[in-house]
Amino acid sequence: MVLWTPAWPRLLGKAPRAPPSPSSTLPPGSYVGCFQDSGPARTLKGVVFYDLRKMTVAGCQEACAEWSYVFAGLQDGTECYCGNRLPKRSSGAQECNRECRGEKGSVCGAPGRLSVYHVGGLLLGSSRRRTSTYRGCFPVPSNLTATLATPLSRPNLTVDSCCQLCSSQEFPLAVVRGPECFCGFPTPSFSLQDAVDAALCAGSPEAAANYCAVYQTPVQDTRCTDRSFLPAKAQVFVALSSFPGAGNTWARHLIELATGFYTGSYYFDGTLYNKGFKGEKDHWRSRRTICVKTHESGRREIEMFDAAILLIRNPYRSLVAEFNRKCAGHLGYATDKNWKSREWPDFVTSYASWWSSHVLDWLKYGKRLLVVHYEDLRRSLLPKLREMVAFLNVSVTEERLLCVESNQEGSFRRLGGRAREPEQAFTAEMRELIDGYIRTVDRALRDRNWNGLPTEYVPR
């Protein structure tokens, strides 16, 4: 674990606070100034999002406040960045001359320039504001013990004060051991894979000395958030192929964080661009992205690619997810009226066969494949992600993969409402149809020396 310790003797005796800045006395929402801030060394690099049509100062400030950041920076009229420290290089006010796309008369930076606003206590009482979450009780690693040879302690230390301090310094982890508090990141030697009974962290002083309670602060782990287009055109044209509703967007999010390169798409989806997928605007055949999303099947469409990651998900789950998307967008849910209409059974009849033919076509015509099951990716994120990154011929550090694990959900979970479970959605007739397709795909995978479908949804 990378620990931040030099300033602790000074800070532990005081109430946690954000780093001092010229704007620390400004009221929430105040404009700070125009700054230069871009590239991998960007100072404001948390909670990045874009909005081609509706970016506003308030929208960016609220997004940053939700994650407990102090500053919100807007760039080029459409981009929002967050952080707790001001960029080092200021610019003349006239250099931030782009109007926000969704707010006439307001300033939203320029290419390579950020209009920075002080967020402060905005949304402090909002239910949207994120809080620190408990990750678990873990054995103290040997290197942490060595670091604590001269303990830095505080008699009245609380979990809240430790989390607030670590958050203000933009560390994603707050680690509490008795009266001691440390900030850091997950690392290979402190990967948070070996949690123990929480009672051990609250036991006798002798026992508690060997265990530490770990909390996830509201701020992002930004070690893996820098992304760019490929420096040269890809020699191997790789597809990320799946049936709709199989988790392609989530897989793209993981691949971008792990490799540091944008993914492309056979389609253009403005909603996904606004979520940070800059490759959405790039032509899908540009070869400037690490792989290209596609739901296409058929020999001609498949043979355009040199290789493909074929992502397969339980068809029951995929059909429900895709029906939700068609009815209510990426993050919404179909209504009871949608489910009870004739649209749902017609959808199942049409799309269930497509789920099968999509996999069968890629197995038949794909030149070089890596088959990934969505369920396996969920269960064993890092091992499966290592396979995917190796297939893409990209070398990544273990620290970056652990950062991906911390940021694995992204902004793609449906919020509000309630997912309809397969038991509720599918009739016996529908199940008989879908189960037949599952058996066909399972057999086809095994015939080509791949593992069959996950046993949890293969009919017995």
Side-chain angles (χ1 to χ4, degrees), residues 251-268:
R252 289 178 66 187
H253 166 72
L254 297 175
I255 289 170
E256 290 197 2
L257 292 183
T259 66
F261 296 117
Y262 292 119
T263 58
S265 177
Y266 188 83
Y267 322 95
F268 170 72

Side-chain angles (χ1 to χ4, degrees), residues 234-254:
Q235 298 299 307
V236 180
F237 192 33
V238 183
L240 176 61
S241 179
S242 73
F243 175 77
N248 198 301
T249 299
W250 180 57
R252 289 178 66 187
H253 166 72
L254 297 175

Side-chain angles (χ1 to χ4, degrees), residues 85-408:
R85 292 175 293 119
L86 284 173
K88 294 179 181 179
R89 300 176 64 189
S90 61
S91 298
Q94 71 280 2
E95 294 185 35
C96 285
N97 52 26
R98 281 290 168 90
E99 191 174 70
C100 300
R101 287 289 179 88
E103 188 176 17
K104 289 187 176 181
S106 58
V107 181
C108 275
R113 297 292 184 272
L114 280 178
S115 295
V116 178
Y117 294 82
H118 184 230
V119 174
L122 287 175
L123 294 179
L124 189 61
S126 170
S127 60
R128 288 177 51 198
R129 192 175 182 89
R130 296 171 186 257
T131 57
S132 297
T133 55
Y134 179 63
R135 290 289 299 271
C137 179
F138 297 88
V140 174
S142 58
N143 60 335
L144 181 59
T145 305
T147 304
L148 295 176
T150 306
L152 302 169
S153 61
R154 177 182 179 186
N156 60 343
L157 175 76
T158 66
V159 169
D160 284 347
S161 63
C162 181
C163 290
Q164 288 171 22
L165 182 56
C166 294
S167 179
S168 73
Q169 298 297 329
E170 296 192 51
F171 285 102
L173 296 183
V175 182
V176 177
R177 188 179 79 162
E180 301 163 334
C181 178
F182 297 87
C183 304
F185 302 92
T187 68
S189 62
F190 197 71
S191 61
L192 307 185
Q193 304 296 316
D194 54 349
V196 297
D197 188 338
L200 292 171
C201 284
S204 66
E206 294 77 15
N210 297 315
Y211 299 94
C212 54
V214 179
Y215 296 84
Q216 188 85 34
T217 71
V219 302
Q220 283 181 304
D221 185 340
T222 56
R223 295 174 298 169
C224 57
T225 55
D226 57 300
R227 288 164 290 173
S228 65
F229 289 102
L230 294 172
K233 287 190 175 182
Q235 298 299 307
V236 180
F237 192 33
V238 183
L240 176 61
S241 179
S242 73
F243 175 77
N248 198 301
T249 299
W250 180 57
R252 289 178 66 187
H253 166 72
L254 297 175
I255 289 170
E256 290 197 2
L257 292 183
T259 66
F261 296 117
Y262 292 119
T263 58
S265 177
Y266 188 83
Y267 322 95
F268 170 72
D269 188 325
T271 301
L272 293 183
Y273 179 87
N274 290 343
K275 290 289 184 182
F277 290 96
K278 273 197 169 181
E280 283 290 318
K281 286 184 66 178
D282 215 48
H283 190 278
W284 68 277
R285 299 193 77 167
S286 71
R287 292 181 179 252
R288 296 203 310 153
T289 55
I290 193 67
C291 61
V292 175
K293 165 189 174 177
T294 181
H295 300 312
E296 302 301 305
S297 51
R299 181 171 184 170
R300 185 178 68 86
E301 287 77 7
I302 292 171
E303 290 185 345
M304 289 188 294
F305 293 94
D306 302 315
I309 296 173
L310 177 59
L311 183 64
I312 304 173
R313 186 184 186 186
N314 180 337
Y316 288 104
R317 299 288 180 183
S318 291
L319 290 168
V320 168
E322 177 58 8
F323 191 68
N324 279 324
R325 188 199 66 80
K326 286 177 71 69
C327 295
H330 285 284
L331 300 179
Y333 289 98
T335 64
D336 283 342
K337 183 178 179 180
N338 295 134
W339 293 108
K340 293 174 182 177
S341 72
R342 184 65 208 171
E343 183 181 4
W344 169 238
D346 288 347
F347 174 87
V348 171
T349 301
S350 171
Y351 275 63
S353 62
W354 180 15
W355 176 86
S356 173
S357 63
H358 179 272
V359 176
L360 297 178
D361 281 359
W362 279 92
L363 291 177
K364 183 176 181 179
Y365 301 118
K367 297 173 185 175
R368 186 168 69 91
L369 292 179
L370 174 66
V371 175
V372 175
H373 297 284
Y374 173 90
E375 293 77 16
D376 291 342
L377 188 58
R378 276 284 179 196
R379 264 190 304 264
S380 305
L381 178 67
L382 293 187
K384 288 298 173 185
L385 192 53
R386 288 187 191 98
E387 289 181 28
M388 294 164 69
V389 169
F391 184 81
L392 295 168
N393 198 30
V394 178
S395 298
V396 299
T397 64
E398 195 66 16
E399 282 79 4
R400 189 169 185 111
L401 289 177
L402 289 168
C403 172
V404 177
E405 186 178 42
S406 295
N407 292 295
Q408 63 181 277

